[in-house]
Amino acid sequence: METRVAVIGIIVENLSATARINEILTEYGDYIIGRMGIPYRKRGINIISIAVDAPQNIISALSGKLGRLDGVAAKTSYSNYIFTDNQ
């Protein structure tokens, strides 16, 4: 299986979406390398960064599900390297 390393940046403007975000991240937990969340209280938003190692279609599905939530923006940055299971 070929995988890529990517970072998904998430801006949460609708804080009621937090529970659904956590459900989605749990669903993809096997692919998540790490997660950092920063509550930006001054602006009333949350900033989340997710590092993943997954097949391209999984990364796209995860980012798409997050980005379709109301009040949530998600953008993905990919590594140029493609890894195989034996790497």
Side-chain angles (χ1 to χ4, degrees):
M1 170 178 25
E2 294 183 341
T3 65
R4 293 179 76 179
V5 173
V7 177
I8 303 172
I10 307 162
I11 304 291
V12 184
E13 297 170 343
N14 176 5
L15 299 183
S16 65
T18 304
R20 183 65 184 126
I21 292 168
N22 286 325
E23 290 172 7
I24 293 170
L25 295 179
T26 299
E27 180 182 340
Y28 289 87
D30 290 344
Y31 302 103
I32 295 175
I33 301 167
R35 169 183 176 173
M36 177 180 61
I38 303 169
Y40 191 12
R41 290 181 184 88
K42 179 179 177 182
R43 301 292 184 210
I45 63 173
N46 289 328
I47 304 161
I48 305 169
S49 176
I50 308 293
V52 296
D53 184 357
Q56 177 75 41
N57 63 321
I58 298 292
I59 297 170
S60 295
L62 171 55
S63 183
K65 283 184 181 182
L66 292 167
R68 283 190 295 275
L69 296 175
D70 184 47
V72 177
K75 298 292 180 184
T76 306
S77 180
Y78 295 91
S79 164
N80 291 322
Y81 295 106
I82 297 174
F83 299 96
T84 58
D85 280 341
N86 60 357
Q87 289 179 309

